[in-house]
């Protein structure tokens, strides 16, 4: 049975999409069967991973709002060898549309993904930077949540809100939801601030924080414009090494749990 991991933090620009794309690709490159779900109306993961090049007519919006199945909307990539459920700006209308539903609006994504859960080893969901029904759907559908934390001022600000949303989802819709791990992103070893944020985050989340951290690395920001993951764009970069290490930590942790 596949494991569903939501990459979430309602704060914008902390590295959710960069992590979702590179984690998904890294898992695919070591032979895991992977589905990347772009659950953000911005569609950054869809563009960055090159799903547009392949072309698609249905998106995750159709899956949520109509009887379109995940399989029908899924795009298969050659490189990285994995599947993507793409997103478009249409998804921004789903929040309002879903809020009109009387029942089951938090479970829409979960119900749809359950049909393909056994087809994959990992399903990675890239969440939007907001705490609305889209995020609630992602968290309700997931086994665990990975939280990227940018090594910046106010890094921990807002995490209290995310943690209370996680607790609410656990209480009402998904008691099994756990924290997969906390990932430090855009780390700059030259700055005192990065080191301080790291210490603070480790003090708060303890062993939940990954040993590896993602450095600030320009290659990571260039890769999506070429529609490539870091493993294709520049394998020797620090960004590539860091995400490869994250992939190893995630696999080790999950194989131990099994
Ligand atoms: N480790 C890094 N080093 C350098 N640039 C990075 C790194 N991680 C992400 N970036 C860049 O920072 C910007 C924000 O990253 P990303 O899109 O992954 O964040 P996000 O949390 O998904 O944002 P949003 O909340 O808008 O969805 C992007 O331009 C990305 O290329
Ligand atoms: Mg994003």
């Amino acid at each position: 049975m596949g494991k569903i991991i939501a990459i979430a933090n309602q704060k914008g620009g902390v590295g959710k999409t960069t992590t979702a794309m590179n984690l998904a690709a890294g898992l695919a490159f070591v032979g895991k069967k992977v589905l990347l779900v772009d659950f953000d109306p911005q569609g950054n993961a869809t563009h960055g991973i090159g799903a547009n090049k392949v072309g698609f007519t249905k998106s995750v919006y159709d899956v949520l709002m109509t009887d379109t199945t995940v399989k029908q909307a899924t795009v298969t990539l050659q490189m990285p060898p994995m599947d993507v459920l793409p997103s478009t700006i249409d998804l921004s209308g789903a929040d309002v549309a879903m809020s009109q539903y009387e029942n089951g609006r938090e479970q829409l994504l979960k119900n749809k993904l359950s049909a393909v859960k056994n087809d994959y080893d990992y399903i990675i969901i890239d969440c939007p930077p907001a705490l609305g029904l889209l995020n609630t759907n992602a968290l309700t559908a997931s086994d665990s949540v990975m939280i990227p934390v940018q090594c910046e001022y106010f890094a921990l600000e807002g995490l209290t809100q995310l943690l209370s949303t996680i607790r609410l989802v656990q209480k009402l819709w998904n008691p099994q939801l756990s924290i997969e791990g906390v990932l430090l992103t855009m780390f700059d070893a030259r700055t005192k601030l990065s080191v301080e944020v790291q210490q603070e985050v480790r003090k708060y989340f303890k062993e939940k924080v990954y040993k590896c951290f993602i450095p600030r690395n320009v290659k990571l920001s260039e890769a999506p414009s070429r529609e490539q993951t870091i493993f294709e764009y520049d394998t020797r970069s620090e960004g590539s090494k860091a995400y490869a290490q994250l992939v190893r930590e995630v696999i080790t942790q999950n194989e131990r749990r099994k």
Side-chain angles (χ1 to χ4, degrees), residues 12-18 40 42 129 186 214-217 220-221:
V14 298
K16 292 181 289 295
T17 301
T18 306
D40 184 347
Q42 297 180 96
M186 301 186 225
I214 310 301
R216 188 173 278 286
N217 178 235
L220 284 170
S221 56

Side-chain angles (χ1 to χ4, degrees), residues 3-5 23 27 32 122 143-147 178-183 202 205-212 244-258:
K3 171 136 195 196
I4 308 184
I5 305 175
L23 171 63
L27 289 166
K32 304 292 177 190
Y122 290 92
D143 296 302
S144 66
V145 50
M146 183 184 290
I147 310 172
S178 66
I179 293 185
E180 180 72 23
V182 175
L183 178 68
R202 288 196 193 277
F205 287 100
K206 307 208 165 60
E207 72 288 349
K208 281 285 173 200
V209 185
Y210 290 106
K211 290 190 196 76
C212 67
Q245 214 177 323
L246 175 67
V247 169
R248 283 193 292 273
E249 272 194 61
V250 168
I251 292 175
T252 310
Q253 192 175 306
N254 281 289
E255 296 193 342
R256 200 184 312 135
R257 272 188 210 140
K258 268 189 214 162

Side-chain angles (χ1 to χ4, degrees), residues 21-22 28 36 57 91 124 133-134 146 162 185-186 207 210 216 221 227 229 233 236:
M21 289 192 299
N22 291 305
L36 172 64
T57 50
L91 188 62
I124 308 293
L133 264 175
L134 287 176
M146 183 184 290
L162 177 61
T185 63
M186 301 186 225
E207 72 288 349
Y210 290 106
R216 188 173 278 286
S221 56
E227 301 185 326
T229 65
Y233 182 62
R236 286 200 296 230

Side-chain angles (χ1 to χ4, degrees), residues 139-193:
L139 294 176
T140 302
S142 297
D143 296 302
S144 66
V145 50
M146 183 184 290
I147 310 172
V149 174
Q150 185 182 351
C151 296
E152 257 305 334
Y153 280 116
F154 311 122
L156 286 169
E157 202 190 63
L159 282 185
T160 338
Q161 254 176 308
L162 177 61
L163 293 176
S164 53
T165 302
I166 292 172
R167 275 192 291 270
L168 183 76
V169 170
Q170 284 168 329
K171 196 171 143 196
L172 297 179
W173 307 291
N174 185 8
Q176 323 298 345
L177 180 67
S178 66
I179 293 185
E180 180 72 23
V182 175
L183 178 68
L184 294 158
T185 63
M186 301 186 225
F187 186 85
D188 185 346
R190 293 166 307 180
T191 68
K192 221 171 110 192
L193 179 65

